[in-house]
Amino acid sequence: MEELAPAAVRDHCVVYAPRIQDLLAREEKVFRIDATTVGVSDFRLISDIVAARPVLASERSVYKPAAGADIHHDSATRTIRALGQDVMAGIHTPPPPAHGLSGAWPDAATTYLREWLFSSDPLPISLLSKRGVTRSNTLSRIVDRAVTVWPGSDLEGRGTALAEQIRGASDTQDRKQAIALYRRATATLCDGVAALAANALWLMGPARPQEGARAELTAALWETLRLLPPAWMLFRKGGDAYTGLHPDIRPEDDLALFPLLMHRDPDHWSDPLEFRPERWAGVADPERTPAFMPFGFDGARCWAKHLVVPLAERLLDIAFDNRLVIHGTPHETHIPLRSLLSVRFEAETGA
């Protein structure tokens, strides 16, 4: 049976999936999850773990091997630069009609972001980021093959910079990798921003920032990243590099690192279970705050981290301007066990 989370944030309770609830109830900072996995939430030990060796290709999410080959650093760099161009261009262009934000969050927000940022790409490239396509393995394979054969080169310059990476591929293998990176980059960004915005909307509740209070909204997003970080767990494969760091870690043990727990550590945070955006007032660089790692760790930070908060701010501005209202149970929402931690609720715009 699911239980209410121990924290009631401004009268907004969260019902976690049982396995997440079990993690939150633990007092140990190093604990065994199963026979071959050790969980870690201790800030210093996590820092030592991520410094012990470089991240493996298989441990990366967006840039793990694709189309049967590793993704080289130059290709990854071009992809994140293209994604940055597309996001900055999107933020400064008129968004789609706000009625697209009505429905089940964060799914409605994910679809809205994909439509806003990537719908200008020609068919079939634009289908790569469509939610209905990405949910079906069969449709995904069909679209991937279609883009490999015809990436829409006749419409060059009319789509996104990410699409240009596909059209500019030198051969079939490079094109397959570019297709995989397009799909992964768009999904990771839109899903992550939608989850962050949904969590922030729930935590802020009726106490939303006043119009034009950008600093207040930014602080609310940083506090959301602390209390309900979408990237709540990171994984490291086991090995000899970790065995000397803690007596409970064996060479065969994989490691699960938990920002969700570290961000609630009372040794580093006052009132750790309370949603207090004011704690970020005057903090010039939140990511330098000890025991706060919302975008991963040194050597393996999310390459798109500089895009997430500005895009989430813009998305929330649109929601507030169009009087988005959360429906359903007013003081309780659920968080299922998924790779991205996100509340679930129904919402409707008033515009």
Side-chain angles (χ1 to χ4, degrees):
M1 179 178 178
E2 293 180 335
E3 300 179 8
L4 284 179
V9 184
R10 295 190 179 180
D11 298 325
H12 279 56
C13 291
V14 176
V15 181
Y16 293 92
R19 290 183 66 182
I20 300 177
Q21 184 66 35
D22 178 64
L23 290 173
L24 293 170
R26 290 181 176 271
E27 295 183 359
E28 317 98 306
K29 296 182 181 181
V30 181
F31 50 89
R32 184 158 295 279
I33 297 175
D34 56 38
T36 58
T37 309
V38 173
V40 182
S41 65
D42 179 79
F43 167 59
R44 291 177 180 83
L45 180 55
I46 286 178
S47 298
D48 291 341
I49 288 170
V50 300
R53 65 160 172 79
V55 61
L56 303 177
S58 59
E59 294 169 341
R60 301 183 296 175
S61 54
V62 176
Y63 302 113
K64 62 187 178 183
D70 287 345
I71 295 173
H72 297 297
H73 184 271
D74 288 348
S75 178
T77 300
R78 288 194 300 270
T79 298
I80 196 61
R81 286 176 178 169
L83 182 64
Q85 293 176 35
D86 295 335
V87 170
M88 291 299 104
I91 286 177
H92 295 99
T93 57
H99 63 73
L101 291 175
S102 296
W105 275 61
D107 294 348
T110 296
T111 301
Y112 186 87
L113 287 167
R114 293 182 179 189
E115 177 70 19
W116 184 10
L117 299 175
F118 305 107
S119 63
S120 65
D121 287 331
L123 287 173
I125 289 179
S126 64
L127 296 178
L128 291 171
S129 65
K130 297 296 184 184
R131 191 168 185 83
V133 173
T134 58
R135 284 181 165 179
S136 167
N137 290 333
T138 300
L139 287 177
S140 293
R141 287 195 295 269
I142 292 172
V143 171
D144 286 359
R145 289 170 185 167
V147 176
T148 302
V149 175
W150 178 67
S153 57
D154 55 317
L155 297 177
E156 185 174 351
R158 292 179 54 185
T160 64
L162 268 181
E164 190 60 37
Q165 299 290 311
I166 298 174
R167 291 191 292 261
S170 58
D171 54 36
T172 300
Q173 174 66 21
D174 286 345
R175 184 168 293 148
K176 287 181 178 179
Q177 280 210 336
I179 289 168
L181 285 174
Y182 183 104
R183 190 188 297 283
R184 292 177 187 176
T186 57
T188 300
L189 179 74
C190 294
D191 290 348
V193 171
L196 173 58
N199 292 350
L201 279 171
W202 180 260
L203 291 174
M204 285 188 286
R208 296 177 177 179
Q210 297 297 316
E211 184 177 354
R214 175 63 61 183
E216 188 178 347
L217 178 56
T218 303
L221 285 169
W222 285 115
E223 181 68 346
T224 300
L225 284 165
R226 184 192 69 83
L227 196 58
L228 288 180
W232 62 285
M233 188 271 286
L234 292 94
F235 181 79
R236 289 290 182 272
K237 291 184 178 295
D240 294 335
Y242 305 133
T243 54
L245 301 179
H246 192 277
D248 291 342
I249 300 176
R250 305 171 304 187
E252 64 270 25
D253 287 332
D254 295 329
L255 301 177
L257 314 178
F258 292 104
L260 176 66
L261 306 185
M262 182 177 63
H263 291 176
R264 296 161 180 251
D265 187 344
D267 292 341
H268 295 279
W269 303 95
S270 60
D271 300 320
L273 301 183
E274 295 297 321
F275 180 69
R276 291 177 48 200
E278 59 272 16
R279 75 172 81 234
W280 299 102
V283 178
D285 188 353
E287 287 193 87
R288 291 187 177 273
T289 303
F292 184 58
M293 298 179 180
F295 297 112
F297 310 96
D298 288 338
R301 290 189 186 274
C302 173
W303 283 23
K305 66 187 183 67
H306 62 291
L307 306 174
V308 172
V309 172
L311 187 55
E313 288 175 342
R314 186 74 177 93
L315 181 62
L316 290 178
D317 280 339
I318 297 167
F320 296 155
D321 289 345
N322 291 276
R323 302 189 298 279
L324 187 80
V325 176
I326 296 176
H327 292 305
T329 306
H331 300 305
E332 181 181 307
T333 190
H334 289 246
I335 294 183
L337 182 63
R338 295 184 180 176
S339 57
L340 284 177
L341 192 73
S342 180
V343 298
R344 297 290 193 267
F345 55 78
E346 294 285 332
E348 184 178 3
T349 57

